[in-house]
Amino acid sequence: MSTPSGKDSSPIQLLDLRRREVRDLLARWGEPRYRADQLWRWLYRDLGADFGAMVNLPRALRARLAEEASCQPLELVEEVVSRDRRTRKCLFRLVDGETLETVLMLYEQRCTVCISAQIGCAIGCPFCATGQSGFVRDLTAGEIVAQVLHYARWLADPQANGPGAVPIQRPARMSNVVVMGMGEPLANYQATWQSLETLNDPEGFALGARHMTLSTAGLVPGIERMSREAMQIGLAVSLHAPTDRMRSKLVPLNRRYPLAQLMAACRGYVQRTGRRVTFEYALLQGINDSDQQAECLARLLRRLLCHVNLIPVNRVDGSPYQPSSRLRTQGFLRVLRDAGISATVRLRRGLDIEAGCGQLRQRKALGDDQLSNDQ
Ligand code: SAH
Ligand code: SF4
């Protein structure tokens, strides 16, 4: 929509633009090319969120940016911190009022941000909070990048500790990005890939491709496409079952892309990139956690360069699934290792803050509904 002055009434979302598009925009504004490079560095190297502070840009340009553009597509609604203060989770509101979640996990030497690629998800895995809420919309590249920038700013600011927290040791820089939050990233391929390329840009955020991983429920054409990309990022596949029958129940996308096709795509990824695939396997008590299923999984993955991450499932409201016991988890792990499969049990992080994808958003939505019912 245009205003009488001919300007678009909604601000230009700078984080949605590639570097060359920032150049094009500033060229249209009559600025020399190096100004675009300065702006890019402010956004992604200096993590600037306020045009006024971009002091090496001319005052008139800063004023025009403030009037016509935005580099903050996310508004923080709530942040929760785990008791050990090593897991943090933000709920953000987007310009259209939708909400999304981002999780930060701090370790001794590194820290990982887990970002979302969609609001909701169309795939509908029955144990997943996001799957239960249905699909709302794709995120833009800027909304994806902004999740990383938010926590990168927090890390870079030694004063920032968030709600009620005592300072703790933490790395000053983001070391890993995983696209494992809400939604199916390969179903929003273009925006997801653009955001990862932006984060990878050596003139800006400069995060190496080896430090980025994308998790998919098994969208085969997307896996094939990312295998052919110049930027080779890590691939994690949510397997959760070793047979088509069981997998079609747990990951309904399996009906469209059954295991034979999925495994062929994974082999293609390994061949082209030389990188191993990580398989995520959420252990659901009495459903997919028997020794026989572990043996079947080991057969499926034989001779494939891969690693299996066993995840004790997080309990989700309204879902009948329970996590496997520690003993059963260790038993499952032993069968895989005895068969020569590299496997670990993923540490459970942030359980007290519902760090499983979609859980905080789901609780907020329920709370809001109850509020409106009471009125
Ligand atoms: N849609 C993509 C990425 C987001 S989900 C995918 O499915 O891979 C990220 C991971 O969290 C997936 O492995 C998913 O299966 C897992 N997950 C979802 N709900 C979970 C729960 N309640 N407990 C444990 N893991 C869960
Ligand atoms: Fe979607 Fe992944 Fe959740 Fe399945 S596990 S519903 S694919 S977000």
Side-chain angles (χ1 to χ4, degrees), residues 189 193 209-210 212 222-236 265-278 304-306:
Y189 193 97
W193 204 262
R210 298 210 154 255
M212 301 194 260
I223 296 173
E224 289 168 349
R225 189 170 164 192
M226 74 177 267
S227 307
R228 292 190 297 268
E229 297 277 3
M231 183 177 70
Q232 295 185 341
I233 71 155
L235 171 66
C266 291
R267 284 178 209 285
Y269 170 87
V270 172
Q271 262 163 22
R272 279 176 179 272
T273 65
R275 299 191 64 169
R276 71 178 189 179
V277 179
T278 299
L304 179 64
L305 184 62
C306 70

PDB file of all heavy atoms in Angstrom, residues 189 193 209-210 212 222-236 265-278 304-306:
ATOM      1  N   TYR A 189      12.092 -23.394   2.228  1.00  0.00           N
ATOM      2  CA  TYR A 189      13.492 -23.539   1.809  1.00  0.00           C
ATOM      3  C   TYR A 189      14.163 -22.199   1.522  1.00  0.00           C
ATOM      4  O   TYR A 189      15.231 -21.887   2.030  1.00  0.00           O
ATOM      5  CB  TYR A 189      13.569 -24.426   0.562  1.00  0.00           C
ATOM      6  CG  TYR A 189      14.985 -24.868   0.272  1.00  0.00           C
ATOM      7  CD1 TYR A 189      15.443 -26.102   0.698  1.00  0.00           C
ATOM      8  CD2 TYR A 189      15.877 -24.026  -0.398  1.00  0.00           C
ATOM      9  CE1 TYR A 189      16.740 -26.508   0.470  1.00  0.00           C
ATOM     10  CE2 TYR A 189      17.188 -24.426  -0.625  1.00  0.00           C
ATOM     11  CZ  TYR A 189      17.607 -25.660  -0.197  1.00  0.00           C
ATOM     12  OH  TYR A 189      18.899 -26.053  -0.416  1.00  0.00           O
ATOM     13  N   TRP A 193      17.245 -20.848   3.668  1.00  0.00           N
ATOM     14  CA  TRP A 193      18.591 -20.882   3.090  1.00  0.00           C
ATOM     15  C   TRP A 193      19.180 -19.476   3.020  1.00  0.00           C
ATOM     16  O   TRP A 193      20.351 -19.265   3.341  1.00  0.00           O
ATOM     17  CB  TRP A 193      18.583 -21.549   1.707  1.00  0.00           C
ATOM     18  CG  TRP A 193      19.947 -22.095   1.431  1.00  0.00           C
ATOM     19  CD1 TRP A 193      20.933 -21.514   0.704  1.00  0.00           C
ATOM     20  CD2 TRP A 193      20.496 -23.298   1.971  1.00  0.00           C
ATOM     21  NE1 TRP A 193      22.067 -22.281   0.744  1.00  0.00           N
ATOM     22  CE2 TRP A 193      21.828 -23.388   1.519  1.00  0.00           C
ATOM     23  CE3 TRP A 193      20.002 -24.309   2.802  1.00  0.00           C
ATOM     24  CZ2 TRP A 193      22.672 -24.449   1.852  1.00  0.00           C
ATOM     25  CZ3 TRP A 193      20.846 -25.367   3.134  1.00  0.00           C
ATOM     26  CH2 TRP A 193      22.150 -25.429   2.666  1.00  0.00           C
ATOM     27  N   ALA A 209      29.804 -22.540   7.915  1.00  0.00           N
ATOM     28  CA  ALA A 209      28.752 -23.509   7.580  1.00  0.00           C
ATOM     29  C   ALA A 209      28.831 -24.735   8.483  1.00  0.00           C
ATOM     30  O   ALA A 209      27.814 -25.352   8.795  1.00  0.00           O
ATOM     31  CB  ALA A 209      28.880 -23.921   6.113  1.00  0.00           C
ATOM     32  N   ARG A 210      30.015 -25.072   8.941  1.00  0.00           N
ATOM     33  CA  ARG A 210      30.176 -26.240   9.818  1.00  0.00           C
ATOM     34  C   ARG A 210      29.514 -26.027  11.171  1.00  0.00           C
ATOM     35  O   ARG A 210      29.327 -26.975  11.930  1.00  0.00           O
ATOM     36  CB  ARG A 210      31.660 -26.551  10.031  1.00  0.00           C
ATOM     37  CG  ARG A 210      32.335 -26.891   8.747  1.00  0.00           C
ATOM     38  CD  ARG A 210      33.499 -27.858   8.914  1.00  0.00           C
ATOM     39  NE  ARG A 210      33.652 -28.578   7.656  1.00  0.00           N
ATOM     40  CZ  ARG A 210      33.284 -29.828   7.470  1.00  0.00           C
ATOM     41  NH1 ARG A 210      32.751 -30.521   8.442  1.00  0.00           N
ATOM     42  NH2 ARG A 210      33.440 -30.406   6.292  1.00  0.00           N
ATOM     43  N   MET A 212      26.533 -24.717  11.480  1.00  0.00           N
ATOM     44  CA  MET A 212      25.080 -24.594  11.307  1.00  0.00           C
ATOM     45  C   MET A 212      24.504 -25.976  10.949  1.00  0.00           C
ATOM     46  O   MET A 212      25.098 -26.703  10.143  1.00  0.00           O
ATOM     47  CB  MET A 212      24.756 -23.622  10.187  1.00  0.00           C
ATOM     48  CG  MET A 212      25.322 -22.229  10.442  1.00  0.00           C
ATOM     49  SD  MET A 212      24.612 -21.012   9.330  1.00  0.00           S
ATOM     50  CE  MET A 212      25.882 -20.856   8.120  1.00  0.00           C
ATOM     51  N   GLY A 222      13.913 -31.430  -0.666  1.00  0.00           N
ATOM     52  CA  GLY A 222      14.689 -30.399   0.046  1.00  0.00           C
ATOM     53  C   GLY A 222      16.073 -30.901   0.414  1.00  0.00           C
ATOM     54  O   GLY A 222      17.069 -30.179   0.306  1.00  0.00           O
ATOM     55  N   ILE A 223      16.149 -32.165   0.849  1.00  0.00           N
ATOM     56  CA  ILE A 223      17.464 -32.746   1.194  1.00  0.00           C
ATOM     57  C   ILE A 223      18.329 -32.809  -0.063  1.00  0.00           C
ATOM     58  O   ILE A 223      19.512 -32.473  -0.048  1.00  0.00           O
ATOM     59  CB  ILE A 223      17.300 -34.156   1.809  1.00  0.00           C
ATOM     60  CG1 ILE A 223      16.541 -34.067   3.133  1.00  0.00           C
ATOM     61  CG2 ILE A 223      18.654 -34.827   2.002  1.00  0.00           C
ATOM     62  CD1 ILE A 223      16.186 -35.421   3.746  1.00  0.00           C
ATOM     63  N   GLU A 224      17.697 -33.202  -1.185  1.00  0.00           N
ATOM     64  CA  GLU A 224      18.463 -33.294  -2.438  1.00  0.00           C
ATOM     65  C   GLU A 224      18.962 -31.907  -2.855  1.00  0.00           C
ATOM     66  O   GLU A 224      20.094 -31.745  -3.298  1.00  0.00           O
ATOM     67  CB  GLU A 224      17.582 -33.905  -3.537  1.00  0.00           C
ATOM     68  CG  GLU A 224      17.334 -35.384  -3.265  1.00  0.00           C
ATOM     69  CD  GLU A 224      16.234 -36.000  -4.130  1.00  0.00           C
ATOM     70  OE1 GLU A 224      15.491 -35.244  -4.809  1.00  0.00           O
ATOM     71  OE2 GLU A 224      16.100 -37.216  -4.116  1.00  0.00           O
ATOM     72  N   ARG A 225      18.101 -30.925  -2.644  1.00  0.00           N
ATOM     73  CA  ARG A 225      18.488 -29.566  -3.040  1.00  0.00           C
ATOM     74  C   ARG A 225      19.634 -29.046  -2.169  1.00  0.00           C
ATOM     75  O   ARG A 225      20.601 -28.474  -2.679  1.00  0.00           O
ATOM     76  CB  ARG A 225      17.257 -28.656  -2.901  1.00  0.00           C
ATOM     77  CG  ARG A 225      17.450 -27.292  -3.475  1.00  0.00           C
ATOM     78  CD  ARG A 225      16.121 -26.563  -3.519  1.00  0.00           C
ATOM     79  NE  ARG A 225      16.330 -25.141  -3.718  1.00  0.00           N
ATOM     80  CZ  ARG A 225      15.379 -24.226  -3.577  1.00  0.00           C
ATOM     81  NH1 ARG A 225      14.153 -24.583  -3.225  1.00  0.00           N
ATOM     82  NH2 ARG A 225      15.649 -22.954  -3.772  1.00  0.00           N
ATOM     83  N   MET A 226      19.537 -29.261  -0.853  1.00  0.00           N
ATOM     84  CA  MET A 226      20.610 -28.737  -0.002  1.00  0.00           C
ATOM     85  C   MET A 226      21.925 -29.486  -0.218  1.00  0.00           C
ATOM     86  O   MET A 226      23.004 -28.932  -0.006  1.00  0.00           O
ATOM     87  CB  MET A 226      20.197 -28.650   1.473  1.00  0.00           C
ATOM     88  CG  MET A 226      20.114 -29.930   2.223  1.00  0.00           C
ATOM     89  SD  MET A 226      19.705 -29.635   3.990  1.00  0.00           S
ATOM     90  CE  MET A 226      21.333 -29.555   4.740  1.00  0.00           C
ATOM     91  N   SER A 227      21.832 -30.731  -0.681  1.00  0.00           N
ATOM     92  CA  SER A 227      23.062 -31.490  -0.973  1.00  0.00           C
ATOM     93  C   SER A 227      23.839 -30.860  -2.127  1.00  0.00           C
ATOM     94  O   SER A 227      25.051 -31.033  -2.233  1.00  0.00           O
ATOM     95  CB  SER A 227      22.727 -32.935  -1.353  1.00  0.00           C
ATOM     96  OG  SER A 227      21.920 -33.539  -0.390  1.00  0.00           O
ATOM     97  N   ARG A 228      23.115 -30.153  -3.001  1.00  0.00           N
ATOM     98  CA  ARG A 228      23.762 -29.564  -4.192  1.00  0.00           C
ATOM     99  C   ARG A 228      24.221 -28.131  -3.962  1.00  0.00           C
ATOM    100  O   ARG A 228      24.831 -27.528  -4.828  1.00  0.00           O
ATOM    101  CB  ARG A 228      22.801 -29.594  -5.387  1.00  0.00           C
ATOM    102  CG  ARG A 228      22.494 -30.991  -5.910  1.00  0.00           C
ATOM    103  CD  ARG A 228      21.739 -30.932  -7.228  1.00  0.00           C
ATOM    104  NE  ARG A 228      20.436 -30.301  -7.092  1.00  0.00           N
ATOM    105  CZ  ARG A 228      19.298 -30.958  -6.836  1.00  0.00           C
ATOM    106  NH1 ARG A 228      19.302 -32.262  -6.707  1.00  0.00           N
ATOM    107  NH2 ARG A 228      18.157 -30.306  -6.713  1.00  0.00           N
ATOM    108  N   GLU A 229      23.922 -27.549  -2.808  1.00  0.00           N
ATOM    109  CA  GLU A 229      24.277 -26.150  -2.538  1.00  0.00           C
ATOM    110  C   GLU A 229      25.788 -25.995  -2.344  1.00  0.00           C
ATOM    111  O   GLU A 229      26.464 -26.912  -1.879  1.00  0.00           O
ATOM    112  CB  GLU A 229      23.571 -25.656  -1.262  1.00  0.00           C
ATOM    113  CG  GLU A 229      22.068 -25.639  -1.318  1.00  0.00           C
ATOM    114  CD  GLU A 229      21.507 -24.378  -1.991  1.00  0.00           C
ATOM    115  OE1 GLU A 229      22.296 -23.546  -2.466  1.00  0.00           O
ATOM    116  OE2 GLU A 229      20.261 -24.262  -2.027  1.00  0.00           O
ATOM    117  N   ALA A 230      26.272 -24.792  -2.644  1.00  0.00           N
ATOM    118  CA  ALA A 230      27.690 -24.520  -2.417  1.00  0.00           C
ATOM    119  C   ALA A 230      28.003 -24.489  -0.916  1.00  0.00           C
ATOM    120  O   ALA A 230      29.041 -24.975  -0.472  1.00  0.00           O
ATOM    121  CB  ALA A 230      28.061 -23.179  -3.062  1.00  0.00           C
ATOM    122  N   MET A 231      27.089 -23.919  -0.142  1.00  0.00           N
ATOM    123  CA  MET A 231      27.291 -23.864   1.309  1.00  0.00           C
ATOM    124  C   MET A 231      26.820 -25.189   1.910  1.00  0.00           C
ATOM    125  O   MET A 231      25.663 -25.565   1.752  1.00  0.00           O
ATOM    126  CB  MET A 231      26.471 -22.695   1.884  1.00  0.00           C
ATOM    127  CG  MET A 231      26.662 -22.487   3.363  1.00  0.00           C
ATOM    128  SD  MET A 231      25.738 -21.049   3.970  1.00  0.00           S
ATOM    129  CE  MET A 231      24.050 -21.630   3.838  1.00  0.00           C
ATOM    130  N   GLN A 232      27.726 -25.881   2.565  1.00  0.00           N
ATOM    131  CA  GLN A 232      27.382 -27.223   3.062  1.00  0.00           C
ATOM    132  C   GLN A 232      27.144 -27.193   4.559  1.00  0.00           C
ATOM    133  O   GLN A 232      28.092 -27.176   5.347  1.00  0.00           O
ATOM    134  CB  GLN A 232      28.500 -28.193   2.709  1.00  0.00           C
ATOM    135  CG  GLN A 232      28.625 -28.351   1.198  1.00  0.00           C
ATOM    136  CD  GLN A 232      29.629 -29.394   0.809  1.00  0.00           C
ATOM    137  OE1 GLN A 232      30.488 -29.777   1.583  1.00  0.00           O
ATOM    138  NE2 GLN A 232      29.512 -29.859  -0.424  1.00  0.00           N
ATOM    139  N   ILE A 233      25.885 -27.175   4.910  1.00  0.00           N
ATOM    140  CA  ILE A 233      25.575 -27.132   6.334  1.00  0.00           C
ATOM    141  C   ILE A 233      25.181 -28.535   6.822  1.00  0.00           C
ATOM    142  O   ILE A 233      24.870 -29.413   6.016  1.00  0.00           O
ATOM    143  CB  ILE A 233      24.493 -26.089   6.667  1.00  0.00           C
ATOM    144  CG1 ILE A 233      23.134 -26.530   6.170  1.00  0.00           C
ATOM    145  CG2 ILE A 233      24.834 -24.717   6.127  1.00  0.00           C
ATOM    146  CD1 ILE A 233      22.050 -25.897   6.973  1.00  0.00           C
ATOM    147  N   GLY A 234      25.203 -28.715   8.120  1.00  0.00           N
ATOM    148  CA  GLY A 234      24.910 -30.019   8.696  1.00  0.00           C
ATOM    149  C   GLY A 234      23.455 -30.425   8.486  1.00  0.00           C
ATOM    150  O   GLY A 234      22.563 -29.584   8.521  1.00  0.00           O
ATOM    151  N   LEU A 235      23.241 -31.732   8.277  1.00  0.00           N
ATOM    152  CA  LEU A 235      21.888 -32.253   8.085  1.00  0.00           C
ATOM    153  C   LEU A 235      21.526 -33.180   9.243  1.00  0.00           C
ATOM    154  O   LEU A 235      22.260 -34.119   9.550  1.00  0.00           O
ATOM    155  CB  LEU A 235      21.822 -33.043   6.768  1.00  0.00           C
ATOM    156  CG  LEU A 235      20.527 -33.832   6.513  1.00  0.00           C
ATOM    157  CD1 LEU A 235      19.330 -32.898   6.342  1.00  0.00           C
ATOM    158  CD2 LEU A 235      20.676 -34.721   5.266  1.00  0.00           C
ATOM    159  N   ALA A 236      20.405 -32.866   9.879  1.00  0.00           N
ATOM    160  CA  ALA A 236      19.844 -33.767  10.894  1.00  0.00           C
ATOM    161  C   ALA A 236      18.481 -34.225  10.383  1.00  0.00           C
ATOM    162  O   ALA A 236      17.709 -33.412   9.870  1.00  0.00           O
ATOM    163  CB  ALA A 236      19.700 -33.045  12.228  1.00  0.00           C
ATOM    164  N   ALA A 265      18.167 -40.300  -0.250  1.00  0.00           N
ATOM    165  CA  ALA A 265      18.516 -38.875  -0.223  1.00  0.00           C
ATOM    166  C   ALA A 265      19.642 -38.611   0.778  1.00  0.00           C
ATOM    167  O   ALA A 265      20.544 -37.797   0.526  1.00  0.00           O
ATOM    168  CB  ALA A 265      17.283 -38.038   0.137  1.00  0.00           C
ATOM    169  N   CYS A 266      19.608 -39.331   1.911  1.00  0.00           N
ATOM    170  CA  CYS A 266      20.673 -39.163   2.918  1.00  0.00           C
ATOM    171  C   CYS A 266      22.011 -39.659   2.377  1.00  0.00           C
ATOM    172  O   CYS A 266      23.053 -39.032   2.590  1.00  0.00           O
ATOM    173  CB  CYS A 266      20.319 -39.910   4.203  1.00  0.00           C
ATOM    174  SG  CYS A 266      18.928 -39.165   5.070  1.00  0.00           S
ATOM    175  N   ARG A 267      21.976 -40.783   1.654  1.00  0.00           N
ATOM    176  CA  ARG A 267      23.220 -41.282   1.045  1.00  0.00           C
ATOM    177  C   ARG A 267      23.768 -40.263   0.041  1.00  0.00           C
ATOM    178  O   ARG A 267      24.967 -40.027  -0.041  1.00  0.00           O
ATOM    179  CB  ARG A 267      22.985 -42.633   0.350  1.00  0.00           C
ATOM    180  CG  ARG A 267      22.886 -43.766   1.318  1.00  0.00           C
ATOM    181  CD  ARG A 267      22.613 -45.115   0.653  1.00  0.00           C
ATOM    182  NE  ARG A 267      21.889 -45.954   1.578  1.00  0.00           N
ATOM    183  CZ  ARG A 267      22.432 -46.554   2.637  1.00  0.00           C
ATOM    184  NH1 ARG A 267      23.714 -46.446   2.850  1.00  0.00           N
ATOM    185  NH2 ARG A 267      21.706 -47.257   3.468  1.00  0.00           N
ATOM    186  N   GLY A 268      22.861 -39.662  -0.703  1.00  0.00           N
ATOM    187  CA  GLY A 268      23.262 -38.632  -1.665  1.00  0.00           C
ATOM    188  C   GLY A 268      23.927 -37.450  -0.967  1.00  0.00           C
ATOM    189  O   GLY A 268      24.947 -36.928  -1.437  1.00  0.00           O
ATOM    190  N   TYR A 269      23.380 -37.054   0.165  1.00  0.00           N
ATOM    191  CA  TYR A 269      23.960 -35.937   0.927  1.00  0.00           C
ATOM    192  C   TYR A 269      25.383 -36.285   1.380  1.00  0.00           C
ATOM    193  O   TYR A 269      26.309 -35.489   1.239  1.00  0.00           O
ATOM    194  CB  TYR A 269      23.065 -35.620   2.142  1.00  0.00           C
ATOM    195  CG  TYR A 269      23.693 -34.653   3.124  1.00  0.00           C
ATOM    196  CD1 TYR A 269      23.569 -33.269   2.957  1.00  0.00           C
ATOM    197  CD2 TYR A 269      24.436 -35.112   4.212  1.00  0.00           C
ATOM    198  CE1 TYR A 269      24.160 -32.380   3.845  1.00  0.00           C
ATOM    199  CE2 TYR A 269      25.032 -34.236   5.104  1.00  0.00           C
ATOM    200  CZ  TYR A 269      24.891 -32.874   4.921  1.00  0.00           C
ATOM    201  OH  TYR A 269      25.488 -32.002   5.800  1.00  0.00           O
ATOM    202  N   VAL A 270      25.549 -37.502   1.906  1.00  0.00           N
ATOM    203  CA  VAL A 270      26.871 -37.914   2.395  1.00  0.00           C
ATOM    204  C   VAL A 270      27.862 -37.955   1.233  1.00  0.00           C
ATOM    205  O   VAL A 270      28.998 -37.479   1.334  1.00  0.00           O
ATOM    206  CB  VAL A 270      26.787 -39.295   3.102  1.00  0.00           C
ATOM    207  CG1 VAL A 270      28.176 -39.826   3.438  1.00  0.00           C
ATOM    208  CG2 VAL A 270      25.927 -39.198   4.359  1.00  0.00           C
ATOM    209  N   GLN A 271      27.405 -38.510   0.099  1.00  0.00           N
ATOM    210  CA  GLN A 271      28.305 -38.611  -1.059  1.00  0.00           C
ATOM    211  C   GLN A 271      28.749 -37.241  -1.552  1.00  0.00           C
ATOM    212  O   GLN A 271      29.912 -37.009  -1.843  1.00  0.00           O
ATOM    213  CB  GLN A 271      27.597 -39.330  -2.200  1.00  0.00           C
ATOM    214  CG  GLN A 271      27.969 -40.795  -2.270  1.00  0.00           C
ATOM    215  CD  GLN A 271      26.979 -41.577  -3.118  1.00  0.00           C
ATOM    216  OE1 GLN A 271      26.283 -41.002  -3.951  1.00  0.00           O
ATOM    217  NE2 GLN A 271      26.910 -42.873  -2.897  1.00  0.00           N
ATOM    218  N   ARG A 272      27.808 -36.320  -1.644  1.00  0.00           N
ATOM    219  CA  ARG A 272      28.136 -35.011  -2.214  1.00  0.00           C
ATOM    220  C   ARG A 272      28.924 -34.144  -1.257  1.00  0.00           C
ATOM    221  O   ARG A 272      29.787 -33.371  -1.671  1.00  0.00           O
ATOM    222  CB  ARG A 272      26.849 -34.271  -2.595  1.00  0.00           C
ATOM    223  CG  ARG A 272      26.285 -34.726  -3.927  1.00  0.00           C
ATOM    224  CD  ARG A 272      24.975 -34.035  -4.189  1.00  0.00           C
ATOM    225  NE  ARG A 272      24.440 -34.448  -5.460  1.00  0.00           N
ATOM    226  CZ  ARG A 272      24.724 -33.859  -6.613  1.00  0.00           C
ATOM    227  NH1 ARG A 272      25.545 -32.838  -6.642  1.00  0.00           N
ATOM    228  NH2 ARG A 272      24.193 -34.292  -7.729  1.00  0.00           N
ATOM    229  N   THR A 273      28.609 -34.218   0.031  1.00  0.00           N
ATOM    230  CA  THR A 273      29.220 -33.278   0.977  1.00  0.00           C
ATOM    231  C   THR A 273      30.369 -33.901   1.766  1.00  0.00           C
ATOM    232  O   THR A 273      31.172 -33.177   2.357  1.00  0.00           O
ATOM    233  CB  THR A 273      28.178 -32.784   2.002  1.00  0.00           C
ATOM    234  OG1 THR A 273      27.755 -33.901   2.794  1.00  0.00           O
ATOM    235  CG2 THR A 273      26.966 -32.160   1.332  1.00  0.00           C
ATOM    236  N   GLY A 274      30.405 -35.210   1.853  1.00  0.00           N
ATOM    237  CA  GLY A 274      31.410 -35.863   2.685  1.00  0.00           C
ATOM    238  C   GLY A 274      31.104 -35.718   4.171  1.00  0.00           C
ATOM    239  O   GLY A 274      31.912 -36.087   5.020  1.00  0.00           O
ATOM    240  N   ARG A 275      29.941 -35.163   4.491  1.00  0.00           N
ATOM    241  CA  ARG A 275      29.579 -34.951   5.900  1.00  0.00           C
ATOM    242  C   ARG A 275      28.650 -36.068   6.359  1.00  0.00           C
ATOM    243  O   ARG A 275      27.889 -36.623   5.578  1.00  0.00           O
ATOM    244  CB  ARG A 275      28.873 -33.608   6.062  1.00  0.00           C
ATOM    245  CG  ARG A 275      29.750 -32.447   5.646  1.00  0.00           C
ATOM    246  CD  ARG A 275      29.135 -31.127   6.054  1.00  0.00           C
ATOM    247  NE  ARG A 275      29.049 -31.039   7.523  1.00  0.00           N
ATOM    248  CZ  ARG A 275      28.747 -29.917   8.173  1.00  0.00           C
ATOM    249  NH1 ARG A 275      28.478 -28.821   7.517  1.00  0.00           N
ATOM    250  NH2 ARG A 275      28.705 -29.901   9.483  1.00  0.00           N
ATOM    251  N   ARG A 276      28.696 -36.350   7.658  1.00  0.00           N
ATOM    252  CA  ARG A 276      27.799 -37.387   8.176  1.00  0.00           C
ATOM    253  C   ARG A 276      26.415 -36.792   8.442  1.00  0.00           C
ATOM    254  O   ARG A 276      26.281 -35.578   8.658  1.00  0.00           O
ATOM    255  CB  ARG A 276      28.375 -38.022   9.429  1.00  0.00           C
ATOM    256  CG  ARG A 276      28.357 -37.126  10.639  1.00  0.00           C
ATOM    257  CD  ARG A 276      28.917 -37.851  11.868  1.00  0.00           C
ATOM    258  NE  ARG A 276      28.672 -37.029  13.057  1.00  0.00           N
ATOM    259  CZ  ARG A 276      29.022 -37.392  14.280  1.00  0.00           C
ATOM    260  NH1 ARG A 276      29.647 -38.541  14.481  1.00  0.00           N
ATOM    261  NH2 ARG A 276      28.770 -36.611  15.318  1.00  0.00           N
ATOM    262  N   VAL A 277      25.429 -37.655   8.413  1.00  0.00           N
ATOM    263  CA  VAL A 277      24.056 -37.238   8.737  1.00  0.00           C
ATOM    264  C   VAL A 277      23.798 -37.580  10.204  1.00  0.00           C
ATOM    265  O   VAL A 277      24.234 -38.623  10.675  1.00  0.00           O
ATOM    266  CB  VAL A 277      23.015 -38.021   7.882  1.00  0.00           C
ATOM    267  CG1 VAL A 277      21.595 -37.606   8.223  1.00  0.00           C
ATOM    268  CG2 VAL A 277      23.275 -37.834   6.400  1.00  0.00           C
ATOM    269  N   THR A 278      23.127 -36.676  10.899  1.00  0.00           N
ATOM    270  CA  THR A 278      22.679 -36.996  12.266  1.00  0.00           C
ATOM    271  C   THR A 278      21.231 -37.452  12.188  1.00  0.00           C
ATOM    272  O   THR A 278      20.403 -36.786  11.558  1.00  0.00           O
ATOM    273  CB  THR A 278      22.765 -35.740  13.156  1.00  0.00           C
ATOM    274  OG1 THR A 278      24.130 -35.320  13.199  1.00  0.00           O
ATOM    275  CG2 THR A 278      22.285 -36.034  14.573  1.00  0.00           C
ATOM    276  N   LEU A 304      26.271 -46.431   6.461  1.00  0.00           N
ATOM    277  CA  LEU A 304      26.007 -45.013   6.162  1.00  0.00           C
ATOM    278  C   LEU A 304      26.799 -44.177   7.157  1.00  0.00           C
ATOM    279  O   LEU A 304      26.818 -44.489   8.351  1.00  0.00           O
ATOM    280  CB  LEU A 304      24.501 -44.725   6.291  1.00  0.00           C
ATOM    281  CG  LEU A 304      24.064 -43.285   6.036  1.00  0.00           C
ATOM    282  CD1 LEU A 304      24.342 -42.881   4.586  1.00  0.00           C
ATOM    283  CD2 LEU A 304      22.560 -43.128   6.306  1.00  0.00           C
ATOM    284  N   LEU A 305      27.475 -43.126   6.661  1.00  0.00           N
ATOM    285  CA  LEU A 305      28.232 -42.235   7.545  1.00  0.00           C
ATOM    286  C   LEU A 305      27.228 -41.412   8.346  1.00  0.00           C
ATOM    287  O   LEU A 305      26.625 -40.474   7.821  1.00  0.00           O
ATOM    288  CB  LEU A 305      29.122 -41.323   6.684  1.00  0.00           C
ATOM    289  CG  LEU A 305      30.071 -40.389   7.408  1.00  0.00           C
ATOM    290  CD1 LEU A 305      31.075 -41.168   8.242  1.00  0.00           C
ATOM    291  CD2 LEU A 305      30.779 -39.484   6.404  1.00  0.00           C
ATOM    292  N   CYS A 306      27.033 -41.800   9.606  1.00  0.00           N
ATOM    293  CA  CYS A 306      25.967 -41.135  10.370  1.00  0.00           C
ATOM    294  C   CYS A 306      26.197 -41.214  11.867  1.00  0.00           C
ATOM    295  O   CYS A 306      27.100 -41.901  12.342  1.00  0.00           O
ATOM    296  CB  CYS A 306      24.610 -41.756  10.019  1.00  0.00           C
ATOM    297  SG  CYS A 306      24.396 -43.428  10.640  1.00  0.00           S
TER     298      CYS A 306
END
